Amino acid sequence: MATALNVKRKNIDLPVDTLQKLSLMAVAQGKSLKNFIETILISKANAITVEVKENPSPSGDDWFNDPENMASVKRGMAEMKAGKGKAYTIEEIRGLLGV
């Protein structure tokens, strides 16, 4: 179960009939309503896998799924934050590419 150091308190609102049903289920298991609800929620949360994708592209462009590409993007962002990078306009990029 959770320890006092890693617990966050949150009030939730439930319909009265839901609380009544949960209370009956808790009594049937010999638990308090609070403990019963916490047990259900913790069990449910532990049963799911949460995956956070790093892909910043709103369209989900696969280019960003390549770890080397993302590392390059992060390096560029760090350089810009450190004042070491240079921002180019479209016209400057076209000039560099000879387009």
Side-chain angles (χ1 to χ4, degrees):
M1 202 57 133
T3 64
L5 296 177
N6 62 3
V7 174
K8 180 164 173 81
R9 195 171 280 278
K10 183 69 178 171
N11 291 327
I12 60 171
D13 297 319
L14 295 172
V16 173
D17 62 324
T18 300
L19 282 173
Q20 290 171 340
K21 290 174 187 175
L22 289 171
S23 293
L24 291 172
M25 294 169 70
V27 168
Q29 291 190 14
K31 296 181 178 181
S32 69
L33 176 60
K34 178 182 181 290
N35 182 267
F36 180 73
I37 292 173
E38 288 172 347
T39 302
I40 290 172
L41 293 175
I42 291 168
S43 174
K44 186 70 172 175
N46 288 338
I48 61 173
T49 302
V50 176
E51 184 179 333
V52 178
K53 296 192 179 209
E54 241 185 290
N55 189 332
S57 171
S59 65
D61 189 327
D62 283 337
W63 186 88
F64 292 97
N65 292 330
D66 183 328
E68 290 181 23
N69 293 343
M70 281 306 297
S72 176
V73 169
K74 288 179 180 178
R75 279 193 307 275
M77 291 170 62
E79 287 176 5
M80 289 301 288
K81 285 181 183 175
K84 297 178 182 176
K86 178 175 179 355
Y88 290 91
T89 65
I90 297 292
E91 291 76 27
E92 289 173 320
I93 292 172
R94 285 184 180 141
L96 291 169
L97 295 174
V99 179

